[in-house]
């Protein structure tokens, strides 16, 4: 567990796959109608994600209430998923987790953070833009249009 100025952020455990899946499904449920189907994180295999990626969590009274899923790449750190339980949204947890990712990228000597989101998730795109992410390109994935974004991370 890392105790930071933004709270305790800990590495999620392999036995938490079902709790993580439940959290992510709750967090993304509001997007189903606007994007025209379940967003990709709602359909992910979290047993596999826990084995292949890094999932970092913030706990509340009843367990995990927010998470960020990171995938280290050779030249950048990819943010695969950010999810905050609907009952805890608006409290700055997503911003804390993005700050954590920025700190991790810097600590690892990576000059860039990348992420992607559905073009119809306008609130998320606005949050990322306000945090300094720029749109790099869009791509079509089946019926979904994905917006790729990146943020340059200054060296320590």
């Amino acid at each position: 567990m890392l105790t930071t100025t933004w709270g305790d952020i800990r590495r999620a455990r392999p036995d938490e796959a079902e709790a993580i899946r439940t959290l992510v499904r709750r967090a993304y449920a509001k997007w189903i109608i606007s994007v025209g189907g379940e967003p990709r994180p709602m359909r992910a295999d979290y047993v596999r994600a826990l084995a292949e990626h890094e999932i970092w969590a913030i706990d509340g009274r009843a367990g995990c209430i927010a998470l960020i899923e990171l995938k280290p790449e050779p030249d950048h750190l990819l943010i695969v998923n950010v999810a905050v339980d609907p009952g805890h949204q608006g409290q700055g947890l997503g911003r804390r987790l993005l700050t954590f990712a920025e700190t991790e990228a810097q600590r690892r000597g990576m000059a860039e953070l990348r992420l992607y989101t559905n073009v119809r998730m306008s609130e998320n795109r606005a949050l990322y833009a306000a945090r300094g992410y720029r749109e790099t390109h869009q791509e079509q994935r089946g019926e979904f249009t994905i917006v790729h974004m990146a943020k340059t991370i200054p060296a320590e």
Side-chain angles (χ1 to χ4, degrees):
M1 182 179 320
L2 300 175
T3 301
T4 65
T5 57
W6 53 81
D8 292 338
I9 298 176
R10 64 168 179 84
R11 185 82 180 258
R13 300 180 312 272
D15 66 344
E16 293 181 287
E18 187 57 31
I20 287 169
R21 187 182 81 77
T22 299
L23 166 63
V24 170
R25 291 190 62 77
R26 285 178 42 82
Y28 282 85
K30 70 180 185 179
W31 296 108
I32 293 172
I33 292 172
S34 63
V35 303
E38 288 189 347
R40 188 175 184 184
M42 292 180 80
R43 298 176 272 128
D45 175 348
Y46 287 99
V47 170
R48 183 176 177 182
L50 282 158
E52 295 178 359
H53 303 159
E54 298 175 12
I55 298 180
W56 296 88
I58 296 174
D59 290 328
R61 290 184 187 144
C64 181
I65 58 170
L67 64 83
I68 191 163
E69 182 178 348
L70 303 175
K71 181 181 178 194
E73 297 287 357
D75 63 342
H76 67 278
L77 189 58
L78 177 65
I79 298 172
V80 177
N81 186 6
V82 180
V84 178
D85 184 86
H88 297 277
Q89 291 177 1
Q91 299 175 14
L93 297 176
R95 287 185 293 279
R96 284 188 203 172
L97 289 166
L98 290 172
T99 298
F100 173 79
E102 292 167 16
T103 302
E104 276 299 292
Q106 190 173 55
R107 186 183 68 76
R108 297 171 193 213
M110 295 182 170
E112 190 172 59
L113 265 172
R114 295 182 190 170
L115 58 83
Y116 52 89
T117 190
N118 189 293
V119 72
R120 294 184 179 168
M121 293 182 173
S122 55
E123 291 172 34
N124 293 356
R125 290 173 63 198
L127 171 67
Y128 299 138
R131 296 280 314 199
Y133 289 81
R134 68 192 181 290
E135 184 176 321
T136 59
H137 64 285
Q138 293 187 9
E139 78 172 289
Q140 199 66 35
R141 287 191 188 169
E143 69 275 16
F144 300 116
T145 302
I146 305 302
V147 177
H148 292 263
M149 302 179 85
K151 179 176 183 173
T152 302
I153 303 299
E156 279 190 292

